[in-house]
Amino acid sequence: MAIQRDILGIGRRPETDEGPNVEEYNQIDPHILACFPPDRYPVDLYRWREDIQTLRPVYRAGCEVDRRLRERVLAMSEQGALFFSRNQIAQYAACVACHLDTALEDPNLTWDEKALVFVGELTRRQDEFFGNPMSRELESLTRALSDLCVHLVEDSRRMSVVAHHLHRDLAPERRRINGSLMALAVYLHLHRGEILLEVLETVALGFFVYDIGMVRVSPMMIARPNQLTPREQRAMREHPRLGLDILSRLNLTRPEIREPVSQHHERLNGTGYPGGLSGGAIGHLGRIAAVADSYSAMVTGRAMRQGLEPIHAAAELVGNERHYDQTVCRALVRFLQTVPSTLEPS
């Protein structure tokens, strides 16, 4: 039955119904409330009055919260009587995003909204690890990846929604997270129907640290818009080996983790680096990382050129069989066709 409105514009259900319209208002439990900033809440709050079957406003977003109001709101939440409007779901999701476990268990969020939370949180934790590649940061990143892998094993099609959010922001600072998640997406597409959680978790970590050696390269060299000198190019080509050194220091010895790090710049015809590997010497995960890294670079804008449209980047990779595994490239194209609007030129 349709929700009615009172003079304040607050929803009211007909008396024959049992509660507020869950499609327009959602309950806030104490665990979610604990994620809110204590001094100012991010959304309007409403109290469900059981006696008159009506939602009544109790707080407007942005107003200061004193101790008395905080106690009242907590009591309403504990009684199951505190609600917010889904018109403010973006503000709500942004607030709970930094509490990943809480956000993933929140029935108020759709998978599209949870995917956005994942992208934001994985970006943050990956950046923290690259900024300080130590055990604590690695553990934080690994936990978030494990949560993502659980959801993807349940339904690998969810990866298309994640990729949709990636393609909405192709800024240079997002190239790392975009390449990591696209590598994971291609792997899932190639192995759909035969994914084991423990294997996927290890593979995902390898894709998320594949470019870790870049932290040992001068930031000035990375940011330079003009071409590098031969000496600088030689230094840049050492970053996969430097990445392996970092993995060894962290006791990351699994081949599924080390292969993407060491081989994401190798090419099938032997023209890549650092080892000049060719053909069968390049592993399956190395080939996936190479395609995903190149794709991410091609769709990312730079100072000297704009990024390519996804459809054009994918087409170039498919046509370059001397450098890239064509089975992997075609899997990328097939996956992109499942992502909303990805292959539509803007």
Side-chain angles (χ1 to χ4, degrees):
M1 303 179 68
I3 196 167
Q4 300 175 3
R5 302 282 171 181
D6 61 19
I7 60 174
L8 295 176
I10 306 301
R12 179 172 64 82
R13 295 276 294 187
E15 293 184 1
T16 54
D17 290 338
E18 298 179 352
N21 188 334
V22 296
E23 294 182 357
E24 298 189 28
Y25 294 88
N26 286 106
Q27 191 176 19
I28 301 177
D29 67 29
H31 296 292
I32 296 295
L33 187 62
C35 297
F36 288 1
D39 54 341
R40 297 180 190 275
Y41 297 144
V43 294
D44 299 338
L45 300 178
Y46 303 89
R47 177 188 178 190
W48 174 247
R49 289 282 303 275
E50 185 67 30
D51 54 341
I52 56 176
Q53 296 283 291
T54 303
L55 279 168
R56 293 294 187 187
V58 295
Y59 173 80
R60 292 304 182 194
C63 294
E64 187 174 352
V65 178
D66 58 23
R67 181 183 60 81
R68 184 176 178 182
L69 176 59
R70 195 158 42 244
E71 291 174 351
R72 284 182 56 214
V73 168
L74 177 59
M76 295 175 200
S77 179
E78 290 173 341
Q79 296 163 9
L82 188 66
F83 290 78
F84 77 99
S85 169
R86 286 194 65 83
N87 290 332
Q88 295 180 312
I89 191 66
Q91 297 92 318
Y92 175 89
C95 183
V96 301
C98 58
H99 304 268
L100 185 59
D101 293 339
T102 301
L104 297 181
E105 295 175 0
D106 188 351
N108 297 323
L109 300 181
T110 65
W111 171 246
D112 180 71
E113 292 154 352
K114 291 180 180 180
L116 184 58
V117 169
F118 262 125
V119 171
E121 190 65 6
L122 285 169
T123 300
R124 182 182 70 83
R125 298 192 191 192
Q126 186 186 49
D127 287 346
E128 288 178 350
F129 176 66
F130 274 65
N132 186 34
M134 303 296 287
S135 297
R136 184 177 65 178
E137 287 73 20
L138 175 63
E139 182 180 353
S140 176
L141 174 61
T142 301
R143 285 199 307 270
L145 282 174
S146 295
D147 287 335
L148 175 64
C149 289
V150 168
H151 283 72
L152 296 178
V153 167
E154 290 176 354
D155 187 352
S156 62
R157 293 173 298 179
R158 290 171 171 168
M159 195 69 211
S160 298
V161 182
V162 175
H164 170 67
H165 290 294
L166 294 183
H167 285 97
R168 291 169 60 183
D169 187 352
L170 296 174
E173 60 269 19
R174 292 285 297 270
R175 176 181 165 181
R176 180 188 301 147
I177 186 70
N178 289 355
S180 297
L181 282 169
M182 289 307 297
L184 184 58
V186 171
Y187 178 86
L188 281 166
H189 197 81
L190 285 168
H191 296 272
R192 57 192 183 280
E194 52 183 68
I195 301 292
L196 297 176
L197 177 59
E198 56 271 24
V199 174
L200 186 62
E201 289 175 336
T202 305
V203 168
L205 181 58
F207 289 145
F208 264 74
V209 302
Y210 81 86
D211 217 19
I212 188 61
M214 289 296 289
V215 304
R216 298 281 182 86
V217 177
S218 168
M220 295 180 62
M221 190 186 305
I222 297 172
R224 185 177 303 168
N226 53 316
Q227 188 174 1
L228 300 178
T229 67
R231 181 178 180 180
E232 290 171 333
Q233 289 177 358
R234 288 193 296 272
M236 180 74 77
R237 287 175 174 239
E238 285 300 304
H239 80 265
R241 289 197 176 101
L242 297 174
L244 291 178
D245 292 341
I246 294 174
L247 296 190
S248 296
R249 178 171 54 79
L250 292 168
N251 198 31
L252 294 173
T253 60
R254 297 280 296 272
E256 299 93 331
I257 300 174
R258 298 179 72 86
E259 185 175 297
V261 175
S262 64
Q263 297 183 5
H264 66 279
H265 282 296
E266 301 289 358
R267 299 295 180 255
L268 294 181
N269 65 350
T271 60
Y273 61 87
L277 303 180
S278 63
I282 305 174
H284 177 58
L285 300 180
R287 295 174 182 223
I288 292 175
V291 169
D293 181 65
S294 295
Y295 171 80
S296 180
M298 294 163 73
V299 299
T300 301
R302 298 180 183 177
M304 304 298 291
R305 66 161 179 82
Q306 289 186 333
L308 298 178
E309 293 287 348
I311 188 172
H312 298 146
E316 284 196 21
L317 290 169
V318 169
N320 194 347
E321 60 185 16
R322 294 176 63 249
H323 288 170
Y324 302 104
D325 185 314
Q326 292 301 290
T327 299
V328 175
C329 293
R330 287 191 292 270
L332 170 64
V333 172
R334 290 194 300 270
F335 171 74
L336 291 175
Q337 291 171 337
T338 71
V339 180
S341 302
T342 293
L343 293 183
E344 294 295 330
S346 58

